[in-house]
Amino acid sequence: MRGAQAERQMQQSEVGGSPRVLLVEAFYGGSHKQLIDLLKENTDGCSLFTLPAKKWHWRARTAALYFSQTIPACSSYRVLFSSSVLNLCELVALRPDLAQLKKVLYFHENQLVYPVRKDQERDFQYGYNQVLSCLVSDVVVFNSRFNMESFLSSILSFMKKIPDHRPKNLDRLIRPKCVVLSYPVQFPDVSSLLPEHKLRHLCRSAETLQSDHRIFKAQTSQPQTSRCEEDPVQSSSEPRSVLTPVQHSESVDQVNPLHIVWPHRWEHDKNPEMFFNTLIKLKEKQLDFKLSVLGETFTDVPEIFSSSQHLLQSHILNWGFLSSKDQYLKVLCDADVVVSTSKHEFFGVAMLEAVHCGCFPLCPKALVYPEIFPDQYLYSTPEQLCKRLQELCKRPDVARRHIVMVDTSLYSWTSLKPQFQALLSVDDP
C-alpha cells in the first residue's frame, strides 16, 4: 500500500513536468511535516516521499532501506532534500543514482547533544548516523547557530566513545558545508484575536522593529549598553535593556492578574519541574496570577503535571493540549507572559508564536535563545526567573505596556523563502 502511495506522489509531481527536486522525510509530522509541505507547495517540480511520524527510533534505523526500494529511478532529479532523521549515507550507498544529486541535509535537532535522562541511555548509532549523513551531503543546514556549533563542537568527544581506531578531523570536513537557515514559521494574522492593549502595539512599524533587531544582532557579541530608559521590570543586578517600553498616557489595566502561559511539550527536556516549582513559590508568596499550560502530551507524561495541577488549581485557566489552532492562538493572545524553562531547544517555534501574539517572553540565557532574544528577556537561574515573575505579578501593567523587540517576521516563510529556494536550485550540468 505504501508503494502505491509513493507511485501516486510521483505521478502527481510529474503533472507539471519532470521532477527536479526529491523531498524525503522519514518522520513526516510536526515541524518536519510543516517544513517539507512548505517546500513542496512553493517549489516547482517536486516529488515527495515520506514515512509517518511514529516510532522515531525505527525511522532513524531503517528508513533509508525502505526509501531505497520505494523511490523510483528518475533521470530528471537534480536535488535531494531530507531531514537528519534519515541516514542519508545508507540511502545514497544503496542508490548510487541518488548519490549524484545535490544533497541537502536539514537539522531540526542534533543527536550529539539531544538531552537524555542518563548519558548511558544515549544510543551511539543515532549521532553516528548524523555524522555520516553530513559527510556525504553537499550542504548541511542547521535551524540555528546553536544547533550547528553544538553539533560540530561535540563530534570529537562523541567519537571518543569508539574504543580504538577513531576517525579524525570530522568537524573540519563537515564545517565548510554548513549554513544556518532558521526554521520558517507561518505566522497567522491574529489581529482579530488580540485584546485592545495589544492591538495598540501593532502601531509600531516593521521598519523600526527591523532597525532594533539589527542593533541587537550587532550587540549580541558585546556587553549590552542602554539606548533608553531601563525597563522597570528589570532588577538593577541584571543587564540593562536595549528596548523601549511603550508609554501610554492612559492608565493600563492593573486589575486583572498576570496571565502566564507555558506552551511546550509535556516532556522532561522542557523542564516542567522548574516551571511548576517557580509557580508554587509565587503561590506561597500569595501573589495573584492566572495560568495556561498548553502543549502536546505523549505516553510518558512527567508526574509533576498532575501534582501541580492539584496545587495550582485555583490559578488555572487552561490545562492541556488544544487541538484547535484558533483556540491555541486565542490563549496566547490573551496571555501576558510566556515562559520557557527548557533544557533542550534548537529553535523554539512556540516561544516565537507567543511573541507574535504579544506575550512578554522569559527564556533561559542558554541554548538557542540568546540568538533570538535580547538580554531583557533572558534569565540565568531559577531564582532570577522567580524574581522576574514576582515583579510582573505585582505589576502586570509592565508586561501589558511593553512592546517585545523581537521582529518575528525575520523568521517567517515570507522572509526565508528565497533562501530555501536557492537551496533547492542547481545549475544543469
Side-chain angles (χ1 to χ4, degrees):
M1 175 174 255
R2 189 66 192 171
Q5 181 181 347
E7 291 292 341
R8 288 196 297 272
Q9 289 172 333
M10 172 65 87
Q11 291 168 6
Q12 291 168 359
S13 301
E14 291 178 339
V15 171
S18 299
R20 296 173 55 83
V21 178
L22 174 61
L23 303 175
V24 182
E25 180 51 68
F27 196 76
Y28 189 56
S31 59
H32 291 233
K33 181 180 187 300
Q34 292 172 30
L35 175 58
I36 217 77
D37 287 347
L38 274 175
L39 297 180
K40 188 174 190 303
E41 292 164 6
N42 291 274
T43 307
D44 293 333
C46 285
S47 290
L48 172 62
F49 296 90
T50 67
L51 281 170
K54 299 178 181 178
K55 299 179 176 62
W56 178 91
H57 299 88
W58 283 106
R59 299 290 184 253
R61 292 182 183 114
T62 65
L65 178 58
Y66 170 79
F67 284 128
S68 72
Q69 296 182 331
T70 304
I71 299 172
C74 181
S75 62
S76 63
Y77 286 143
R78 295 292 180 269
V79 181
L80 189 164
F81 180 99
S82 76
S83 75
S84 62
V85 175
L86 176 70
N87 187 333
L88 188 59
C89 186
E90 287 183 351
L91 179 61
V92 298
L94 292 165
R95 288 288 300 275
D97 56 314
L98 302 181
Q100 309 306 312
L101 308 181
K102 174 186 176 181
K103 297 172 289 300
V104 181
L105 188 70
Y106 193 87
F107 275 74
H108 294 264
E109 44 73 28
N110 79 75
Q111 289 297 313
L112 301 193
V113 298
Y114 196 95
V116 291
R117 302 299 298 276
K118 298 178 182 179
D119 190 62
Q120 57 265 37
E121 294 176 1
R122 188 183 303 278
D123 191 318
F124 180 83
Q125 193 65 42
Y126 303 128
Y128 184 67
N129 288 354
Q130 289 187 329
V131 172
L132 291 179
S133 294
C134 288
L135 291 171
V136 300
S137 297
D138 298 295
V139 185
V140 182
V141 188
F142 292 87
N143 59 356
S144 67
R145 183 160 296 279
F146 165 71
N147 195 358
M148 179 179 74
E149 293 298 340
S150 65
F151 179 80
L152 293 173
S153 63
S154 299
I155 291 176
L156 178 61
S157 59
F158 183 78
M159 289 297 168
K160 286 182 178 179
K161 295 180 179 180
I162 301 174
D164 54 17
H165 301 290
R166 302 182 184 111
K168 299 178 181 179
N169 302 322
L170 298 182
D171 57 326
R172 297 182 188 178
L173 295 174
I174 294 170
R175 184 176 285 276
K177 307 177 182 185
C178 295
V179 298
V180 175
L181 185 52
S182 299
Y183 178 85
V185 185
Q186 287 188 293
F187 295 108
D189 180 2
V190 295
S191 56
S192 64
L193 303 175
L194 293 172
E196 182 180 351
H197 68 275
K198 288 187 178 183
L199 278 172
R200 288 196 295 265
H201 296 179
L202 295 178
C203 297
R204 187 70 181 259
S205 69
E207 180 180 351
T208 303
L209 281 170
Q210 290 172 359
S211 173
D212 287 339
H213 183 85
R214 286 194 294 271
I215 292 171
F216 160 60
K217 283 296 186 183
Q219 293 177 340
T220 50
S221 60
Q222 305 172 4
Q224 295 287 351
T225 56
S226 176
R227 294 191 296 113
C228 58
E229 181 181 354
E230 186 174 7
D231 193 314
V233 76
Q234 279 193 241
S235 65
S236 59
S237 63
E238 293 175 332
R240 289 179 63 84
S241 171
V242 297
L243 311 177
T244 308
V246 181
Q247 303 295 334
H248 295 305
S249 57
E250 69 272 19
S251 62
V252 181
D253 182 13
Q254 175 70 4
V255 177
N256 293 330
L258 187 76
H259 183 179
I260 302 168
V261 63
W262 193 84
H264 310 287
R265 284 184 289 104
W266 292 22
E267 293 189 300
H268 287 288
D269 64 290
K270 299 303 182 183
N271 203 359
E273 292 83 2
M274 176 180 168
F275 176 70
F276 288 120
N277 289 338
T278 300
L279 294 194
I280 291 169
K281 289 178 182 178
L282 297 180
K283 179 182 176 68
E284 290 171 349
K285 294 177 182 291
Q286 298 184 333
L287 293 168
D288 199 6
F289 60 89
K290 294 300 179 184
L291 174 63
S292 291
V293 177
L294 311 178
E296 197 169 357
T297 59
F298 297 90
T299 304
D300 183 21
V301 174
E303 190 277 333
I304 190 73
F305 283 92
S306 59
S307 60
S308 299
Q309 183 180 15
H310 175 71
L311 290 171
L312 298 168
Q313 188 62 53
S314 61
H315 297 271
I316 293 172
L317 291 178
N318 300 278
W319 188 268
F321 179 68
L322 296 175
S323 57
S324 166
K325 187 71 171 180
D326 287 342
Q327 290 179 342
Y328 174 76
L329 293 170
K330 183 67 171 78
V331 174
L332 295 184
C333 288
D334 288 340
D336 300 308
V337 178
V338 60
V339 177
S340 170
T341 47
S342 185
K343 295 184 290 187
H344 144 64
E345 195 59 80
F346 295 101
F347 185 66
V349 172
M351 292 299 291
L352 282 171
E353 286 181 334
V355 168
H356 176 71
C357 294
C359 292
F360 187 104
L362 290 174
C363 323
K365 193 173 185 177
L367 310 171
V368 70
Y369 295 117
E371 289 183 46
I372 300 173
F373 298 96
D375 276 355
Q376 169 84 350
Y377 309 114
L378 305 177
Y379 63 87
S380 299
T381 65
E383 292 75 21
Q384 285 185 7
L385 173 61
C386 189
K387 183 176 181 180
R388 297 292 297 277
L389 287 174
Q390 182 176 334
E391 293 171 348
L392 288 169
C393 285
K394 294 176 180 178
R395 289 283 310 278
D397 61 304
V398 171
R400 291 168 188 157
R401 292 170 56 190
H402 184 86
I403 291 179
V404 179
M405 288 306 178
V406 175
D407 186 2
T408 56
S409 70
L410 297 176
Y411 307 97
S412 69
W413 171 247
T414 302
S415 297
L416 297 170
K417 179 179 177 180
Q419 298 174 68
F420 276 97
Q421 288 180 325
L423 278 180
L424 300 182
S425 66
V426 65
D427 295 331
D428 285 314

